[in-house]
């Protein structure tokens, strides 16, 4: 079987959260590793061994929550674009695992990106609008993610 036809498992114990192709699994793990410095937290994704990645659900949920807070503190279009796909996909794993995202004060880490342009103002709606957007993106990703 060629490497492109194989798949890998993201799981919590025996519970499979996602079964993507090798290429997509590798990109997801590398994306998590690239985003980890933005949070200062571990990703909660174990190494891929025997086509399985054990997810520490509490650690992963904290990581995803921190990424969302980082995203929300910025109005930078490119930063948002780079983070959105990963976060939406990660939210599906958190939901499938039955975890909840921890909530903490988003204003204490010193991060603030501002896109400088006359059209860069963040759309009105604040957090409620963000929650609805994440729910829609996560639902869309979930439909495309095999278990």
């Amino acid at each position: 079987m060629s490497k492109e036809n194989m798949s890998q498992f993201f799981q919590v114990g025996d519970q499979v959260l996602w079964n993507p192709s090798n290429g997509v699994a590798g990109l997801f793990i590398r994306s998590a590793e690239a985003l980890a410095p933005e949070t200062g937290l571990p990703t909660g994704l174990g190494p891929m061994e025997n086509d399985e990645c054990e997810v520490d659900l509490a650690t992963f949920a904290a990581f995803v929550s921190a990424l969302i807070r980082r995203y929300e503190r910025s109005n930078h279009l490119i930063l948002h674009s780079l983070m959105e796909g990963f976060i939406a996909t990660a939210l599906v794993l958190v939901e499938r695992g039955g975890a909840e995202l921890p909530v903490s004060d988003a204003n204490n880490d010193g991060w603030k990106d501002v896109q400088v342009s006359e059209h860069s103002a963040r759309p009105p709606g604040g957090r409620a609008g963000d929650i609805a957007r994440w729910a829609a993106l996560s639902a869309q990703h979930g439909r495309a993610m095999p278990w």
Side-chain angles (χ1 to χ4, degrees):
M1 181 183 302
S2 72
K3 189 171 185 170
E4 291 78 26
N5 293 333
M6 294 172 51
S7 63
Q8 298 181 327
F9 296 87
F10 289 85
Q11 57 195 50
V12 176
D14 291 335
Q15 179 188 6
V16 173
L17 305 176
W18 185 28
N19 180 227
S21 68
N22 285 352
V24 172
L27 181 57
F28 183 77
I29 290 171
R30 290 189 307 276
S31 296
E33 291 167 356
L35 289 167
E38 294 297 313
T39 67
L41 297 174
T43 66
L45 299 175
M48 188 61 72
E49 296 176 346
N50 299 318
D51 295 328
E52 296 176 355
C53 174
E54 184 67 26
V55 178
D56 177 326
L57 203 52
T59 302
F60 185 68
F63 171 65
V64 173
S65 183
L67 282 176
I68 290 170
R69 289 190 312 272
R70 175 73 176 95
Y71 177 100
E72 290 175 341
R73 283 186 305 279
S74 174
N75 75 341
H76 199 286
L77 176 65
I78 304 307
L79 179 70
H80 283 188
S81 181
L82 291 169
M83 294 178 80
E84 272 182 357
F86 179 85
I87 292 172
T89 303
L91 284 171
V92 174
L93 298 182
V94 170
E95 180 182 345
R96 287 180 180 175
E100 294 197 13
L101 296 178
V103 178
S104 68
D105 184 3
N107 298 318
N108 290 333
D109 72 359
W111 285 98
K112 182 72 177 168
D113 291 309
V114 178
Q115 176 114 10
V116 180
S117 89
E118 64 186 72
H119 304 292
S120 66
R122 199 164 177 174
R127 182 133 171 89
D130 292 340
I131 291 169
R133 178 168 171 69
W134 287 124
L137 282 171
S138 179
Q140 181 182 22
H141 280 229
R143 289 188 295 275
M145 292 170 62
W147 294 53

